[in-house]
Amino acid sequence: MSLGKDTLLRIDLGKPDEPNQVELGRKDEAKVYKMFLDHTGSHLLIALNTSECLYLNRSVQKVRALSRWKGHLIESVGWNKFLGSETNTGPILVGTSQGQIYEAEISVSEGSLFSTNPDQYFRQVYTLEEESGPAPVCCLEIERGIEGKFFIIATTRKRLFQFVGKVPEGTEQQGFSSIFAVHADHLPSFREFPANLGFSEIAFYTPKLRSNPRSFAWMMGNGVLYGTLDYSRPDSILSDERVWVYPPDIDITVNKPISIVLTQFHFLLLLPDRVKAVCTLNGQVVFQDLFLEKFGSLTRMIKDPTVQQIWIHTEKVVFRYHVQRESRDVWKMYMNMNKFDLAKEYCKDRPECLDIVLAKEAEHCFQNKRYLDSAKCYALTQNYFEEIALKFIEAKQEEALMEFLIKKLSNLKPSEKTQTTLLTTWLTELYLNWLGILQGDPSQRNLYLDTREKFRTFLSSPKNKDCLFNNRASIYELLASHGDTEHMVYFAVIMQDYERVVAHHCQHDEYDEALNVLSRHRDEKLFYKFSPVLIQHIPKKVVDAWISMGSRLDARNLIPALVNYSQSASTQQINEAIRYMEFCVYQLEETQQAIHNYLLSLYALCRPDSLLSYLEQAGTNPNRIHYDLKYALRLCAEHGHHRACVHVYKVMELYEEAVDLALQVDVDLAKSCADLPEDDEELRKKLWLKIARHVVQEEKDVKKAMACLSSCALLKIEDVLPFFPDFVTIDHFKEAICNSLEDYNKHIEELKREMEEATQSAKRIREDIQEMRNKYGSVEPQEKCAACDFPLLNRPFYLFLCGHMFHYDCLLQAVFPNLPAYKQAKLEDLQKKLAATSQPSKSHHRPKDADTISLGKGQQSREQIKADIDDIVAAECVYCGELMIRSIDKPFIDPQKYEEEMQSWL
């Protein structure tokens, strides 16, 4: 700011407490006419009323005169925002009071700042004229558009000129002469207005730092020309122009506006005593600020393009404005202009305002018969649902009503279950009505398909799934009332109500489709329920489906279907039942008795050969057989399968019954049965006698009877002879009799040999006993006890064959803890008895003979007690016997006494 004719004050807003004063160094009466500061704050031009111009760089304190500029009163400067730097302005445009536009460049060097003139050049490029001749250049602005195109805006008091042209790439430093040269012979495009303020001023709004201006406002005699800047246009960037006349209280002849500033939605007019803010959307004055006379008359208003602050000053005072929440009421203006998208954009954070805008937009669309758009907007408002729905119903706009309901449904919260249920049910009814109408009109085929797809999308929507599932009964009733079986099936599939789907297919004889649904969803319960129906019509496919399910199906639950089917089917169809049962038994290895029993019944009915092979494969161990033996026996008997019956008898170990039945079939089969009871020779002999009797009496075949004798070693000729008739000659079994006699002789010889061996063995035992009686061991006087290491002969002791010797009490002490409880008790009892026999008798008056008899009996009893004690204590050497082996894993210290022992060591 200029404080007088010779002083400048520079304030860095980042350090407002450190102002800087600069002296102009003028001794004459020259005054500051205007000052021009570039957008970076690096270059300041000071125009004096003496048609001189001074230059001050941000980094220096000394002002320099621009000699080439002398003689021109500077009115405006167009700064170069694209090539300027802190030390160089780049090519700039300068407008004078005589209408000339000059191109100039100012440059300073950092090494020797003022060693050369800062103004590099100063040349005229154009002259602006009005109808009366050259006019002052009030404003200059340089902007760059797309593809390297430059736009230069210049204003006089009544005209606004535009110069458009390209500067060749790489020649930007050469300036803008080429752009003005194009218009040397003809005037450029301009806007002209009749009234005249004596000056004009243009302001621009730039939304972001280092971006192009978006709009402009030109203050001139007739009002304010407001518009936007469109850089894509080829000849003019001015767009959407509109003139806002001055408010009624502004008379340009008395209190004309002094300056103008443009913000996003307003332009501010500076008057001598007040500031007025006018909305660019409707031209209304929305703000007015009066200044007291003590401050003086308002002189100038400018806007900082970097921080968007507005500055106003008088001769005495400087004011600063902050623009806050400028767009708070813009939504209302856009709404009144029917620009609803912009209105919603500026109130999206204010739900109450957004609701008003949406309601107004919905009403506007409804009045213009744009019912679908109206429905979408109504669904977002808080207006009464019933009023809106009735509004569309009265207008007979079902499609719009559906759109409204769909949007309303999508905006409901999960907790609003009642409203969700109402809307989904109503929408289903509307869709079904609409589809019914379209389906009967062939010309509406495409619309029908499109509506059907929307309906299916609605039914399958994940958001509606829970509601539809909870109210599926109502939906089914609606679908049924409209006779829409196609969508009933579709809805059932979505709800995973496959039972209804399969039942529908079965009712319409679509058995293959029903089976496909079962196979696709693999629900065991549905298989159990519908298999009885499906197997009657497509048995092979059903069995294939069962097999593909594998172990997921319980074959027991399918048996009723198979039984019902096999009772009314032919042998060929029964084979399908057998195929599945065999799969269960052999592939799945089922062990359920019911499955094996049913397979047995099928085999008995149609495949006897498979029956016997199955029984044989099952084995003969009753614990590993999975069918019921009694049921199998009865089944085989009913159908006359004797070989199978024989096998079952063998498994049940009823060998007599097995042999009796086998003799009716085959003697060899009976023989195989007779050898089975290996541990019961008596039973085996009995069974072979049955076979022999059958061969002799029924078949009357002597040779075969003799073969039986050779097959079983238990049978003798004398066992078989009673079966033969009296008239049979001996020739047929003479050989057998001779063989029998030879066997008897051999048996007698073996008995003799065994008797001789027994006699020799008894003799050797007697010799060993005699030898043991004479066996002895010698003990040296110095021998010690193996347990206590004291002399052995001091106390009673034991001598073992292994050579170990123990005192009696030492051995007892070592053996007793390791004896079983019952032996310990017995040993204690024997010791008590031994002690009792050792006490002398207290009676001194018994006869002598009685004492002798009593002594003999006591002595004998005492010896027996000692022998019993020896048997327990001295049964084996404590070091060499099993006692030592068993003590290997015994701890050295008793666990119960471990703590006590450990404490004793500390």
Side-chain angles (χ1 to χ4, degrees), residues 497-751:
D497 189 1
Y498 302 116
E499 181 177 352
R500 188 182 293 269
V501 177
V502 176
H504 169 79
H505 289 310
C506 290
Q507 289 171 2
H508 293 79
D509 297 337
E510 299 170 353
Y511 301 109
D512 287 333
E513 190 62 32
L515 184 60
N516 289 338
V517 174
L518 289 176
S519 301
R520 188 162 55 248
H521 299 288
R522 304 173 75 83
D523 189 330
E524 299 87 351
K525 294 181 179 179
L526 295 183
F527 266 103
Y528 301 145
K529 181 171 183 177
F530 291 101
S531 288
V533 176
L534 296 176
I535 200 169
Q536 299 290 339
H537 300 88
I538 47 174
K540 186 177 185 306
K541 293 182 180 179
V542 171
V543 171
D544 289 339
W546 289 351
I547 292 175
S548 67
M549 287 288 288
S551 59
R552 293 183 61 178
L553 289 179
D554 188 348
R556 291 178 300 174
N557 296 328
L558 297 174
I559 289 177
L562 292 171
V563 171
N564 185 37
Y565 167 67
S566 60
Q567 287 177 351
S568 60
S570 63
T571 304
Q572 180 65 27
Q573 292 170 323
I574 292 176
N575 288 336
E576 294 298 330
I578 294 176
R579 181 161 71 94
Y580 182 65
M581 289 291 104
E582 287 180 339
F583 169 76
C584 294
V585 171
Y586 298 122
Q587 300 297 324
L588 301 182
E589 298 181 354
E590 286 283 357
T591 59
Q592 297 293 333
Q593 192 177 75
I595 297 172
H596 287 263
N597 287 348
Y598 183 58
L599 180 58
L600 271 176
S601 67
L602 294 176
Y603 279 152
L605 185 63
C606 297
R607 295 187 187 177
D609 296 338
S610 298
L611 171 63
L612 186 58
S613 63
Y614 166 78
L615 293 173
E616 291 175 348
Q617 187 174 352
T620 58
N621 185 351
N623 296 325
R624 302 182 64 181
I625 287 176
H626 305 301
Y627 57 85
D628 188 342
L629 290 169
K630 295 180 180 179
Y631 174 75
L633 185 61
R634 185 175 71 252
L635 197 65
C636 296
E638 287 177 0
H639 292 85
H641 303 313
H642 297 308
R643 286 185 177 272
C645 285
V646 170
H647 180 82
V648 177
Y649 276 133
K650 290 193 295 184
V651 176
M652 298 173 70
E653 297 182 355
L654 299 175
Y655 301 116
E656 292 190 42
E657 290 81 353
V659 171
D660 290 340
L661 185 57
L663 289 174
Q664 299 177 22
V665 180
D666 184 10
V667 175
D668 291 335
L669 180 60
K671 290 179 179 180
S672 65
C673 296
D675 281 333
L676 290 176
E678 297 177 353
D679 299 333
D680 193 345
E681 292 186 355
E682 184 179 349
L683 179 57
R684 284 174 60 200
K685 184 175 181 180
K686 183 179 180 180
L687 298 177
W688 277 102
L689 285 174
K690 281 179 177 286
I691 297 171
R693 178 183 294 171
H694 174 79
V695 172
V696 173
Q697 293 180 354
E698 299 296 332
E699 298 185 7
K700 298 179 181 180
D701 189 340
V702 179
K703 290 184 178 180
K704 190 176 288 188
M706 294 300 102
C708 287
L709 288 176
S710 60
S711 299
C712 179
L714 299 177
L715 288 184
K716 305 297 180 183
I717 186 62
E718 58 270 27
D719 297 326
V720 182
L721 282 177
F723 301 146
F724 288 96
D726 296 338
F727 56 82
V728 177
T729 60
I730 197 172
D731 295 337
H732 293 291
F733 40 83
K734 180 176 63 175
E735 184 179 352
I737 293 173
C738 293
N739 291 336
S740 178
L741 293 173
E742 290 179 0
D743 289 339
Y744 278 123
N745 289 331
K746 290 179 179 178
H747 185 60
I748 292 170
E749 291 297 328
E750 286 184 5
L751 290 175

Side-chain angles (χ1 to χ4, degrees), residues 892-904:
F892 290 110
I893 300 174
D894 188 348
Q896 297 179 354
K897 299 180 180 180
Y898 181 81
E899 291 294 334
E900 180 182 350
E901 184 70 20
M902 183 177 68
Q903 292 297 329
S904 69

